[in-house]
């Protein structure tokens, strides 16, 4: 069995006048959410062997906050441009390239790809309230953990997982939930 944790980048700043979406930084709320999720991950005892991540600025900045707070300083991220705005199919290809010795991989990236990846990996058998929550939305800075019924990352395929954990920033601090209109 392998374990996959998925971290969506934290809230980014739309007010920042960057030329490319790739270069959009986090906003203050995003930094607070990344820290809160990092604290949560540390309390869970999240221990990963490998981190694979999009090199987009908002993902890099999310991990810059998350990794030390989560206690994962000894794991150097592998930056994979394929993850930037990738589909679920592309994300599965990225996972298939993970080192066989890694038992627990953290993938950090973007929606809709991460949300679709969860929905593809976890069968819709009507018995997973966590999957139902993801189907509604996998918000910024959310962290999900999936147990995969595989022995080698090259075997990752749809419907091979069980969603065992989901945490959204608003679950930790209501002020980090959706903004009111």
């Amino acid at each position: 069995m392998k374990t996959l944790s998925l971290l969506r980048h934290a809230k980014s700043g739309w007010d920042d006048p960057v030329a490319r979406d790739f270069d959009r930084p986090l906003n203050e709320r995003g930094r607070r959410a990344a820290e809160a999720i990092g604290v949560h991950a540390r309390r869970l005892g999240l221990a990963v062997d490998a981190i694979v991540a999009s090199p987009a600025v908002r993902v890099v900045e999310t991990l810059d906050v998350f990794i030390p707070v989560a206690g994962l300083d000894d794991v150097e991220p592998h930056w994979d441009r394929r993850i930037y705005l990738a589909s679920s199919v592309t994300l599965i290809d990225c996972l298939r390239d993970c080192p066989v010795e890694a038992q627990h991989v953290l993938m950090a990236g973007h929606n809709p790809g991460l949300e679709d990846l969860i929905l593809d990996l976890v069968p819709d058998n009507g018995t997973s309230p966590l999957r139902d929550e993801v189907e509604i939305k996998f918000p910024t800075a959310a962290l999900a953990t999936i147990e995969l019924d595989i022995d080698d990352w090259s075997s990752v395929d749809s419907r091979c997982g069980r969603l065992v954990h989901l945490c959204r920033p608003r679950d930790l601090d209501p002020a980090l939930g959706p903004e009111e209109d």
Side-chain angles (χ1 to χ4, degrees), residues 9-85:
H9 68 78
K11 195 100 177 130
S12 58
W14 286 95
D15 297 335
D16 202 302
V18 295
R20 302 180 314 158
D21 173 73
F22 186 88
D23 298 322
R24 218 164 7 99
L26 294 185
N27 63 23
E28 184 53 37
R29 187 168 155 227
R31 283 187 281 284
R32 287 193 328 267
E35 183 173 357
I37 288 293
V39 168
H40 174 75
R42 182 184 286 263
R43 285 187 190 134
L44 280 178
L46 186 76
V48 301
D49 305 305
I51 298 172
V52 60
S54 163
V57 169
R58 59 193 178 273
V59 176
V60 172
E61 290 183 355
T62 297
L63 289 175
D64 284 348
V65 173
F66 175 85
I67 286 174
V69 175
L72 299 174
D73 295 297
D74 58 335
V75 185
E76 186 68 31
H78 169 72
W79 306 105
D80 190 332
R81 188 154 178 113
R82 294 177 296 170
I83 296 172
Y84 176 66
L85 304 181

Side-chain angles (χ1 to χ4, degrees), residues 85-172:
L85 304 181
S87 68
S88 175
V89 171
T90 300
L91 294 175
I92 287 174
D93 284 342
C94 293
L95 290 171
R96 288 178 179 152
D97 290 341
C98 288
V100 67
E101 65 275 5
Q103 293 301 309
H104 190 160
V105 170
L106 172 68
M107 177 180 274
H110 312 266
N111 257 4
L114 290 180
E115 182 175 312
D116 291 343
L117 179 61
I118 295 168
L119 299 177
D120 286 347
L121 292 176
V122 179
D124 184 11
N125 57 15
T127 63
S128 176
L130 295 178
R131 187 188 189 283
D132 295 342
E133 288 294 318
V134 170
E135 203 159 353
I136 294 168
K137 185 174 186 182
F138 189 61
T140 53
L143 178 67
T145 300
I146 303 168
E147 292 178 347
L148 302 170
D149 188 22
I150 58 172
D151 293 322
D152 189 305
W153 290 103
S154 64
S155 302
V156 173
D157 210 345
S158 59
R159 303 177 52 85
C160 72
R162 184 170 63 92
L163 185 58
V164 295
H165 182 76
L166 173 66
C167 185
R168 302 159 295 200
R170 71 174 180 230
D171 298 332
L172 305 170

